[in-house]
């Protein structure tokens, strides 16, 4: 996991080269890992998909390699709920991870934040980027969604 601005910038440059999506410093998502029903767990580990699970929440680099993982949260929790309780969230909120400051995109002069790519399970923050809602999108917004999804 990067821990200083130069390493975050390098990660973002790799996303830019590979996926043509600049300022991305990783993609965050959760995955339900199926487990046997724990003894006396009631619904704590029963997820919205209808099975018992624990949650693996991860950040991946542009080559799909894990750079940060939190595993073991109960399956009834949401990705965002798990994220809000993890050390990565605290580090981003408190700016203790050495996350990259505002800089212009290539061939631009307006400073923009670096960010993580997330799905709609997460709220927007200055350091999170998610898709536009799919309803009634203009062409440029659909194109943005396509590129963000690829990245």
């Amino acid at each position: 996991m990067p821990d200083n601005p130069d390493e975050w910038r390098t990660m973002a440059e790799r996303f830019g080269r590979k996926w043509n999506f600049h300022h991305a410093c990783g993609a965050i998502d959760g995955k339900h890992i199926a487990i046997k029903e724990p003894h006396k767990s009631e619904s704590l580990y029963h997820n919205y998909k209808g099975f018992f699970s624990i949650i693996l929440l991860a950040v991946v680099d542009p080559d799909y390699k894990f750079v940060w993982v939190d595993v073991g949260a109960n399956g009834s929790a949401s990705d965002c709920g798990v994220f809000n309780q993890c050390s990565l969230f605290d580090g981003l909120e408190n700016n203790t991870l050495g996350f990259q400051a505002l800089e212009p995109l290539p061939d631009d002069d307006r400073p923009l934040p670096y960010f993580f790519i997330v799905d709609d399970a997460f709220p927007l923050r200055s350091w999170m980027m998610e898709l536009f809602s799919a309803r009634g999108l203009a062409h440029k917004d659909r194109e943005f969604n396509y590129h963000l999804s690829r990245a």
Side-chain angles (χ1 to χ4, degrees):
M1 182 73 157
D3 65 2
N4 65 63
D6 290 336
E7 290 177 358
W8 286 115
R9 186 180 298 110
T10 298
M11 177 82 80
E13 288 168 356
R14 290 176 51 219
F15 266 95
R17 281 192 307 274
K18 182 155 189 168
W19 299 108
N20 197 29
F21 209 90
H22 302 282
H23 282 220
C25 292
I28 302 174
D29 203 2
K31 175 72 176 165
H32 285 271
I33 309 298
I35 60 171
K36 291 182 181 179
E37 178 181 358
H39 183 64
K40 296 185 180 181
S41 69
E42 299 179 10
S43 62
L44 190 61
Y45 288 87
H46 198 263
N47 66 39
Y48 71 96
K49 296 180 177 192
F51 60 92
F52 291 92
S53 67
I54 58 172
I55 298 174
L56 179 144
L57 188 70
V59 176
V60 297
D61 72 7
D63 298 314
Y64 308 114
K65 293 179 182 167
F66 292 118
V67 295
W68 179 89
V69 175
D70 181 283
V71 65
N74 64 66
S76 64
S78 68
D79 289 354
C80 184
V82 174
F83 181 72
N84 288 343
Q85 300 300 315
C86 75
S87 60
L88 179 60
F89 175 82
D90 290 339
L92 289 163
E93 279 287 292
N94 298 318
N95 199 25
T96 59
L97 295 179
F99 204 62
Q100 183 58 43
L102 300 174
E103 288 187 341
L105 291 170
D107 302 320
D108 201 332
D109 61 354
R110 294 170 291 179
L112 293 172
Y114 285 75
F115 55 85
F116 288 104
I117 298 169
V118 297
D119 62 19
D120 61 358
F122 296 88
L124 283 177
R125 297 232 193 279
S126 63
W127 36 264
M128 287 188 161
M129 180 73 65
E130 68 180 56
L131 300 172
F132 285 108
S133 177
R135 296 188 192 131
L137 290 180
H139 175 73
K140 67 181 176 90
D141 296 337
R142 283 194 307 274
E143 189 174 331
F144 172 85
N145 279 359
Y146 169 77
H147 286 285
L148 183 64
S149 293
R150 281 185 64 226

